[in-house]
Amino acid sequence: MRSAEITGWGKCLPPAVLSNDDLATVMDTSDEWIRSRTGIGQRHISHVGTAELASVAAQRALDAAGLDGTDIDMIILATASPDTLVPNIAATVQANIGARCAAFDINAACSGFLYGLGLATAQVRSGQSQRVLVVGAERLTFYLNWTLRDTAVLFGDGAGAVVVEATDEPVGVLSYAMNNDPEGREILKVAGFGSAMDRSDPEAMSFFLQFEGREIFKRAIAGMGRLSQQVLAESGVSPEQVDLVVPHQANVRIIDTLIGKMGLPKEKAFVNIERYGNTSAATVPIALCDALEAGRIQPGDTLLSCAFGAGLTSAAAVIKWGQRTTPLRTSTAELPPCDQTGLELIRDAVARDKAKAAQ
């Protein structure tokens, strides 16, 4: 049976970093407060749009696979923070990498990359596509209200991408599952954004990310745990046979609880949230790249990946890694230089939110 093997991978993190200590200068928080509750130490702040982050990650993934844009049959771009709604930003990435194919965005929030990987796998298995580029890219700091500590400390910007190719070898995505829990739709949202906005209202731009942390924690564990069990059973893999779990990086407590419920040692979970915060749809592909760079993924390894997000979406996949763990080409794709610090990049937004709160 045809399978979809990951043959290329790439990430893009903007250069400006915002540390917990930096945040403590603009809000009532501390490094200890943030780390103890989330595991986050810093996050990246982008000086460019989401499409540019996505384009660099995509080109790096193509280079890792030894491919050009013209070799790609489809581009699936997962994001909840696109530069433009019309057109989709997959079209921008397509133009930047020189592809000639179908290209579209999906919004499944933090589960978006695994949704995209599932759709790409179905395309490959059906014979409709030979090679699909899947990108997860976010600029979530655009949505933050910097006076709301509980959300402002959690999120960062970044992008990651993979190339999946058809193969007759018993590797690649063995099983995947996607789900949505609409009863939880209101507990994680950006209210007032989109065509629901009243464009005649001067307050219409006062939208920001908001959520109910306790309820999300509970539903995230349940959703990811159930789908993880499902894909393991469908692929005939026991939890003990999993070499590495690559979960969505939202909160280290969620990851620890999930791994514990699966009966696995903490060491089997790949965790990089300390460096990036929650980059939503980009967390899983960035983590895959980091795991490969750190030597945590070896030829033939069995991976389990899972995620949850607004909707409330959830997704999981079992992946049998192939023989190659190093890029075929060195990529020269880079972002334009940034001459500002993370604090400088958010300065105007912080002033805006404080002025609004003082009214």
Side-chain angles (χ1 to χ4, degrees), residues 28 34 36 42 62 65 70 73 99 117 123 129 158 173 230 249 258 291 303 306 308 329 340 353 359:
D28 180 19
I34 298 170
S36 64
Q42 63 178 40
L62 287 173
T70 51
D73 300 317
L117 187 63
Q123 280 290 120
S129 300
V173 180
Q230 177 181 329
Q249 309 286 314
L258 179 68
L303 314 181
C306 53
F308 72 96
R329 288 198 309 241
Q340 292 179 286
D353 294 337
Q359 291 178 359

Side-chain angles (χ1 to χ4, degrees), residues 3-6 169-175 237 241 243 297-304 317-323:
S3 186
E5 179 185 4
I6 295 176
E169 298 297 319
V171 296
V173 180
L174 303 183
S175 180
V237 174
Q241 291 174 305
D243 296 297
I297 298 176
Q298 295 298 314
D301 275 359
T302 299
L303 314 181
L304 170 65
V318 174
I319 303 164
K320 187 75 171 179
W321 202 262
Q323 291 302 302

Side-chain angles (χ1 to χ4, degrees), residues 273-288:
I273 191 173
E274 192 277 337
R275 287 181 284 165
Y276 309 126
N278 182 350
T279 57
S280 187
T283 68
V284 169
I286 290 172
L288 281 172

Side-chain angles (χ1 to χ4, degrees), residues 58-106:
Q59 185 58 57
R60 289 172 177 174
L62 287 173
D63 288 330
L67 299 173
D68 298 319
T70 51
D71 297 317
I72 298 298
D73 300 317
M74 178 176 286
I75 299 170
I76 303 173
L77 198 154
T79 185
S81 52
D83 305 337
T84 57
L85 293 175
V86 183
N88 63 46
I89 65 169
T92 304
V93 174
Q94 179 183 19
N96 289 343
I97 65 174
R100 297 289 183 270
C101 61
F104 58 94
D105 294 357
I106 59 173

Side-chain angles (χ1 to χ4, degrees), residues 19-220:
S19 70
N20 292 346
D21 289 334
D22 290 334
L23 282 175
T25 68
V26 297
M27 67 178 66
D28 180 19
T29 192
S30 67
D31 180 66
E32 190 279 332
W33 191 93
I34 298 170
R35 285 182 186 269
S36 64
R37 288 163 175 78
T38 68
I40 298 169
Q42 63 178 40
R43 69 285 298 146
H44 291 248
I45 308 296
S46 186
H47 63 301
V48 299
T50 308
E52 193 152 8
L53 296 172
S55 296
V56 171
Q59 185 58 57
R60 289 172 177 174
L62 287 173
D63 288 330
L67 299 173
D68 298 319
T70 51
D71 297 317
I72 298 298
D73 300 317
M74 178 176 286
I75 299 170
I76 303 173
L77 198 154
T79 185
S81 52
D83 305 337
T84 57
L85 293 175
V86 183
N88 63 46
I89 65 169
T92 304
V93 174
Q94 179 183 19
N96 289 343
I97 65 174
R100 297 289 183 270
C101 61
F104 58 94
D105 294 357
I106 59 173
N107 178 3
C110 302
S111 305
F113 174 78
L114 288 181
Y115 264 54
L117 187 63
L119 294 174
T121 299
Q123 280 290 120
V124 169
R125 287 179 178 174
S126 70
Q128 295 296 306
S129 300
Q130 287 290 113
R131 301 182 181 95
V132 181
L133 174 66
V134 184
V135 187
E138 302 283 14
R139 193 184 176 196
L140 284 183
T141 56
F142 171 77
Y143 290 131
L144 297 182
N145 181 329
W146 295 98
T147 67
L148 300 179
R149 178 178 63 175
D150 287 353
T151 53
V153 304
L154 297 178
F155 297 96
D157 304 329
V162 299
V163 174
V164 295
E165 294 193 59
T167 179
D168 293 324
E169 298 297 319
V171 296
V173 180
L174 303 183
S175 180
Y176 66 89
M178 300 177 282
N179 190 52
N180 194 72
D181 171 18
E183 291 183 1
R185 185 175 182 273
E186 294 300 314
I187 67 175
L188 176 55
K189 62 184 179 180
V190 178
F193 185 63
S195 59
M197 297 171 67
D198 180 356
R199 295 176 64 186
S200 64
D201 183 356
E203 299 296 316
M205 295 303 292
S206 297
F207 57 83
F208 53 87
L209 186 67
Q210 48 193 299
F211 70 95
E212 300 174 23
R214 291 178 184 270
E215 188 65 18
I216 289 173
F217 187 100
K218 179 178 68 176
R219 291 178 183 251

Side-chain angles (χ1 to χ4, degrees), residues 232-263:
L232 288 171
E234 289 175 351
S235 55
V237 174
S238 69
E240 295 75 21
Q241 291 174 305
V242 173
D243 296 297
L244 190 67
V245 180
V246 185
H248 170 47
Q249 309 286 314
N251 186 306
V252 73
R253 290 180 176 179
I254 292 176
I255 296 172
D256 288 346
T257 303
L258 179 68
I259 294 297
K261 285 184 175 294
M262 295 177 63

Side-chain angles (χ1 to χ4, degrees), residues 320-334:
K320 187 75 171 179
W321 202 262
Q323 291 302 302
R324 187 166 54 79
T325 58
T326 56
L328 289 177
R329 288 198 309 241
T330 299
S331 184
T332 59
E334 296 286 348

